[in-house]
Amino acid sequence: MIKMLALAVWASAIAVLAGNAASKWQEAKASPQKAEAAEHAYEYRKSKVINVPVIADGALLGYVLVQFLYGLDSKAEKIAISPDAVLMDEAFRTLYGDPHLDFRHLEKYDMDGLTKKLAVALNARLGDGVVKDVLIQDFSYMPRNETPR
């Protein structure tokens, strides 16, 4: 009877130790991937809505309303200037000054090119690799006669 009890305790101890060792081994195997993922963690933020006036032949036709979503490196808290302000500035300059942007035919506009251009411009001004990507949250046009007064 004592031999059977000792055998049961011994088998249980071996099973617990083997399970623990396997758990530690799996954890050690996954640690480099977790550290790498944590090293390049991005936080997504929404910009404020940007109102870009549409002017043709000296007359105000309406406004383009744009809101962006951008992936910011988690280490970007150390940046002196607000990434949101830089994004709004770059987006306004890009949209207002783009001669290829025809608001009567927005389906032909290169949205991928716009977001890539903004991401490159943000990284140039804030530091390389700070902004992962820029996404368009909202892009709409409001004619002048529909604007609230």
Side-chain angles (χ1 to χ4, degrees):
M1 178 78 169
I2 293 179
K3 285 184 180 180
M4 299 242 321
L5 184 60
L7 182 62
V9 170
W10 179 75
S12 297
I14 293 295
V16 168
L17 290 174
N20 191 19
S23 174
K24 297 269 187 197
W25 177 67
Q26 289 287 6
E27 188 178 298
K29 185 178 174 184
S31 289
Q33 295 170 352
K34 286 182 183 177
E36 184 177 317
E39 189 175 311
H40 297 289
Y42 287 91
E43 170 189 347
Y44 281 87
R45 296 182 182 176
K46 252 187 218 184
S47 71
K48 295 178 182 175
V49 176
I50 303 168
N51 301 318
V52 181
V54 178
I55 300 172
D57 300 325
L60 178 65
L61 301 178
Y63 295 92
V64 174
L65 308 170
V66 187
Q67 186 174 25
F68 295 99
L69 185 70
Y70 58 99
L72 192 64
D73 192 350
S74 60
K75 299 174 188 169
E77 299 299 326
K78 301 169 187 159
I79 297 174
I81 189 167
S82 167
D84 200 41
V86 176
L87 174 64
M88 291 178 71
D89 178 58
E90 287 294 335
F92 189 89
R93 290 172 190 258
T94 301
L95 291 171
Y96 189 75
D98 193 350
H100 297 101
L101 186 55
D102 182 8
F103 293 99
R104 293 170 293 215
H105 304 288
L106 283 176
E107 66 275 0
K108 295 181 180 181
Y109 191 67
D110 182 19
M111 295 293 186
D112 288 336
L114 171 66
T115 57
K116 288 176 184 173
K117 183 177 180 180
L118 288 174
V120 168
L122 285 170
N123 280 324
R125 288 177 67 178
L126 297 174
D128 204 21
V130 172
V131 176
K132 179 182 179 185
D133 57 357
V134 177
L135 307 170
I136 297 175
Q137 178 77 24
D138 185 29
F139 193 93
S140 58
Y141 175 74
M142 182 182 296
R144 181 176 174 221
N145 58 357
E146 292 181 18
T147 56
R149 297 189 188 254

